[in-house]
Amino acid sequence: MNYFSWLALLAGAAIGIQAGMNAQLGVLLKSPLLSAAVTFIVACCCVLIVVAITTRQLPSLTSVQSVPLHLWFSGAISAFGVASFYFLIPRMGVGPMMSFALTGQLLVAMLVSHFGWFDLPIKPISFSKCMGVLAMVAGIVLINRA
């Protein structure tokens, strides 16, 4: 595994820990939406600090204006996903929730890659990828078996 693979593994682990922590925050605050708001405020502050430290030049106004309108709304998708995690984890548990969430992520990621949406590299769906999805679904059935 290379550096990027390890970083991706750590990012996934961080999401698993963060989801459980913020779900508990939502339970204690009696609002998964408030928990999501707190999460995004803290995350925004952290990212702004890193941007301030590492960014040498901000994008030009022309660059900002050239961004397609739909890309500015990805935060709404994040808010839905994060708030859904915090709502569902206390009801389902972290393991089952993450197994379903990961399945949704991988299925959509395969479609995004297959069609090259958002100008990303095209990676066609293959037989081996389909077999991997079937193995993953079988794993989810086993993980969530009572």
Side-chain angles (χ1 to χ4, degrees), residues 12-133:
I15 289 170
I17 292 168
Q18 179 257 349
M21 290 172 65
N22 287 324
Q24 182 62 24
L25 179 62
V27 168
L28 294 173
L29 296 177
K30 296 178 179 33
S31 173
L33 291 177
L34 183 56
S35 177
V38 168
T39 299
F40 280 111
I41 289 168
V42 172
C44 182
C45 291
C46 291
V47 170
L48 287 174
I49 289 168
V50 173
V51 166
I53 292 169
T54 62
T55 301
R56 301 199 193 296
Q57 182 179 0
L58 294 175
S60 68
L61 181 59
T62 305
S63 294
V64 171
Q65 291 173 333
S66 71
V67 175
L69 184 63
H70 66 277
L71 294 181
W72 293 107
F73 292 97
S74 66
I77 296 169
S78 293
F80 168 76
V82 168
S84 296
F85 269 52
Y86 305 159
F87 175 77
L88 293 169
I89 286 172
R91 289 154 179 83
M92 298 175 69
V94 175
M97 173 58 202
M98 293 304 278
S99 68
F100 284 106
L102 180 58
T103 302
Q105 288 174 342
L106 290 174
L107 290 173
V108 170
M110 282 179 51
L111 288 174
V112 169
S113 294
H114 180 78
F115 293 108
W117 294 341
F118 314 115
D119 292 325
L120 294 171
I122 294 174
K123 305 281 184 178
I125 294 174
S126 64
F127 177 76
S128 64
K129 287 180 184 178
C130 290
M131 295 308 295
V133 167

Side-chain angles (χ1 to χ4, degrees), residues 4-18 98:
F4 295 118
S5 300
W6 283 107
L7 185 58
L9 187 66
L10 287 173
I15 289 170
I17 292 168
Q18 179 257 349
M98 293 304 278

